[in-house]
Amino acid sequence: MHTTMRGNEHSEFIFAMSTGYNEDLALDMSNLHIHRQYFFSAFLAMEPSDILISLARKCGGGFVSEDVQKFIWTYCINNISDESCYVTYLKVFLKKLIKEVELTGGVVLDEFYERYAHYMASLKEDASGNQDLWTVKCITFLFHDVPSHTGQMQMVVPLRCSLNMLQGDTGCALWPSSLFLSEFILSFPEVFTRKLCFEVGSGIGLIGICLKHAKASQVILSDGDSSTLANLKLNLEMNEIANFDSSLDQSTSTSYLVRCIHLPWESANESELQQFNPDIVLGADVIYDPSCLPHLVRVLSIYLNRRITTNNRLNGTAQACDKEEDCSNGDCSGSNKVNLQVATLKSLLEEMETGPVALIASVIRNIDTFNCFLKLCCQNDLLVKDMTESIRPDNLLPYMKSYNRSDVRLLMLSYMSK
Ligand SMILES: C[S@@+](CC[C@H](N)C(=O)[O-])C[C@H]1O[C@@H](n2cnc3c(N)ncnc32)[C@H](O)[C@@H]1O
């Protein structure tokens, strides 16, 4: 899976899928196309093998047919140009695939047996444990059913990630909240267009790449872990985004679209932070370590307590909350949901006119830690509005079955004017 090949691989795949079919079969073919595209995207994102197998079954109408196997061989496995860091993943997948076909009485392609045997032998030889602990996952955002995305069908983002999290700490893995915030950015780009966006705890950098796509005027990505930051810069390069390496004490310049900053929340001081004036602060899966929370909330409150021009924040929030209650009895119809979404988006945009906001996406893994975050926000005069039920991004990752978007909460934070 050579990262620079990604765009081409997708185009080749789409071209091959869209030629040579007769019109009577259009509907079946379009379903086939979708299933194969889901499989292909899941393969590139290195979804777990069981998920790949279930997607492969769908491609073959319930079983992994010979045609499906040929597709997997030609467009997925045999298309990898640098397979060294995928051997373990492919070995597990091939083993399951072979077992699946054999159990259903199908004929396994010889190529699969040969490649599996080859991986078994090469892994035995490399029993020293010197296998690569990094990999490149490609996240494909699919815009098929999104009316706002006419023209562009998909966006492919290659990301270098750690396989075991010992490399580069937690920030070198892909977390569900960054997938969710990315979907949010791509679903509602108007919120971010021409805005100065600042991300805390940026990790592998997916959100920054989506912000660029949404045409943010400037993107500042930050992390407190140096190895995470180094990996983040590699990811920007891989996605052809120029970045400006900066520490906080260097003078600011608006000529750089994406800047990467070393920002440990504990040591960031107010005057250093204030050289930035973000419209939107973002954070994904940053609420997990209770000892860091006071520092994180301090950083957020420094950014949010700026450029307050009116004192209508409380009113705006209360109105939005009233609307949310319309659906609280469970009989929220489709059109109500759309209305609620439009109202929430409008209230978010209005909120941004009065001062900066923060959008924090989080999976609640420990309710005490989450409540501690809410309490600290309150103590620091930050209003927290849970937008999870009132605004849902489009499902742009329908093939990614390992990502449970309903686990993620979306919070909007703003400064509570007095
Ligand atoms: C769970 S990861 C989430 C990464 C990324 N936002 C995502 O969702 O994929 C948490 C991130 O916060 C960063 N972080 C944790 N504690 C921090 C601190 N005290 N100061 C700055 N960054 C910190 C980590 O380095 C890591 O990149």
Side-chain angles (χ1 to χ4, degrees):
M1 290 192 203
H2 197 275
T3 53
T4 53
M5 292 286 289
R6 293 301 176 198
N8 294 343
E9 284 167 9
H10 265 271
S11 323
E12 273 172 32
F13 166 66
I14 282 174
F15 177 72
M17 292 297 300
S18 58
T19 52
Y21 300 130
N22 98 36
E23 278 183 25
D24 295 341
L25 295 174
L27 191 60
D28 282 352
M29 284 301 139
S30 91
N31 282 339
L32 178 69
H33 181 108
I34 287 170
H35 289 315
R36 288 193 175 190
Q37 187 165 41
Y38 283 8
F39 181 92
F40 187 63
S41 304
F43 180 79
L44 295 183
M46 298 180 76
E47 281 284 272
S49 295
D50 288 339
I51 290 174
L52 288 187
I53 299 290
S54 79
L55 291 170
R57 271 188 221 119
K58 284 197 175 147
C59 293
F63 64 101
V64 187
S65 64
E66 207 173 324
D67 264 2
V68 174
Q69 292 182 57
K70 281 183 188 153
F71 158 75
I72 293 174
W73 176 254
T74 310
Y75 289 101
C76 304
I77 296 177
N78 211 29
N79 216 1
I80 297 169
S81 47
D82 173 14
E83 60 178 336
S84 59
C85 53
Y86 302 99
V87 170
T88 311
Y89 176 73
L90 289 174
K91 195 193 97 179
V92 174
F93 169 58
L94 280 176
K95 185 177 179 180
K96 291 213 167 142
L97 185 67
I98 291 169
K99 193 171 164 198
E100 168 76 17
V101 179
E102 285 178 347
L103 281 177
T104 52
V107 178
V108 180
L109 287 196
D110 286 345
E111 289 89 336
F112 288 157
Y113 285 126
E114 282 161 20
R115 185 62 67 90
Y116 180 65
H118 169 71
Y119 289 153
M120 289 290 283
S122 63
L123 283 174
K124 213 179 265 172
E125 271 167 31
D126 192 9
S128 57
N130 284 339
Q131 291 137 29
D132 205 327
L133 299 170
W134 293 91
T135 193
V136 176
K137 294 185 181 183
C138 282
I139 308 304
T140 307
F141 295 95
L142 297 173
F143 300 126
H144 295 282
D145 302 322
V146 185
S148 55
H149 281 269
T150 44
Q152 189 182 11
M153 297 289 282
Q154 63 190 21
M155 172 177 147
V156 186
V157 183
L159 293 165
R160 183 175 183 265
C161 315
S162 154
L163 281 174
N164 63 4
M165 264 196 248
L166 296 174
Q167 274 70 31
D169 208 7
T170 58
C172 291
L174 185 59
W175 295 86
S177 299
S178 66
L179 294 170
F180 185 90
L181 259 191
S182 298
E183 284 186 310
F184 187 90
I185 294 163
L186 298 172
S187 301
F188 307 108
E190 65 272 30
V191 173
F192 305 90
T193 305
R194 291 187 296 280
K195 296 291 187 305
L196 198 164
C197 300
F198 190 109
E199 192 192 4
V200 290
S202 296
I204 56 174
L206 177 62
I207 288 174
I209 293 161
C210 293
L211 286 170
K212 192 207 164 217
H213 187 84
K215 299 191 170 48
S217 61
Q218 202 180 356
V219 178
I220 297 158
L221 305 177
S222 71
D223 208 281
D225 179 62
S226 308
S227 54
T228 296
L229 208 57
N231 186 54
L232 165 61
K233 287 174 193 166
L234 289 177
N235 280 331
L236 293 180
E237 275 167 30
M238 199 152 49
N239 285 276
E240 293 168 5
I241 296 177
N243 70 86
F244 173 54
D245 190 357
S246 165
S247 62
L248 273 177
D249 58 358
Q250 282 178 295
S251 64
T252 50
S253 162
T254 50
S255 59
Y256 303 98
L257 181 68
V258 178
R259 298 178 67 179
C260 297
I261 283 169
H262 184 234
L263 180 73
W265 307 324
E266 293 76 0
S267 59
N269 77 47
E270 190 158 348
S271 65
E272 286 172 329
L273 288 172
Q274 278 175 346
Q275 62 177 297
F276 304 106
N277 198 7
D279 300 301
I280 307 176
V281 181
L282 299 104
D285 267 327
V286 286
I287 306 171
Y288 62 99
D289 180 350
S291 69
C292 292
L293 291 183
H295 308 288
L296 169 63
V297 173
R298 186 180 63 84
V299 169
L300 292 174
S301 69
I302 289 170
Y303 279 134
L304 298 182
N305 183 13
R306 292 168 68 85
R307 293 194 290 111
I308 305 298
T309 53
T310 68
N311 63 354
N312 64 356
R313 287 189 177 284
L314 277 169
N315 295 340
T317 305
Q319 280 165 16
C321 290
D322 288 348
K323 287 201 174 72
E324 226 167 306
E325 277 164 21
D326 291 343
C327 289
S328 59
N329 58 8
D331 65 348
C332 187
S333 71
S335 68
N336 274 351
K337 271 189 189 157
V338 173
N339 291 341
L340 178 60
Q341 179 133 313
V342 170
T344 308
L345 195 57
K346 192 165 164 258
S347 98
L348 171 61
L349 293 170
E350 280 169 4
E351 195 74 43
M352 285 164 56
E353 278 172 22
T354 68
V357 298
L359 293 172
I360 306 291
S362 190
V363 173
I364 303 177
R365 296 186 174 87
N366 180 322
I367 190 65
D368 293 335
T369 307
F370 187 72
N371 285 336
C372 169
F373 174 76
L374 296 181
K375 192 170 165 202
L376 285 163
C377 287
C378 189
Q379 287 166 356
N380 282 271
D381 297 328
L382 296 181
L383 273 178
V384 180
K385 182 183 166 204
D386 190 334
M387 299 168 74
T388 317
E389 303 308 329
S390 48
I391 189 160
R392 301 297 293 170
D394 297 308
N395 183 0
L396 305 179
L397 303 164
Y399 60 87
M400 200 180 274
K401 307 294 179 198
S402 67
Y403 155 52
N404 193 353
R405 57 216 303 277
S406 63
D407 285 348
V408 183
R409 313 288 316 167
L410 179 64
L411 308 177
M412 180 181 76
L413 275 60
S414 55
Y415 189 69
M416 196 187 303
S417 52
K418 296 196 172 152

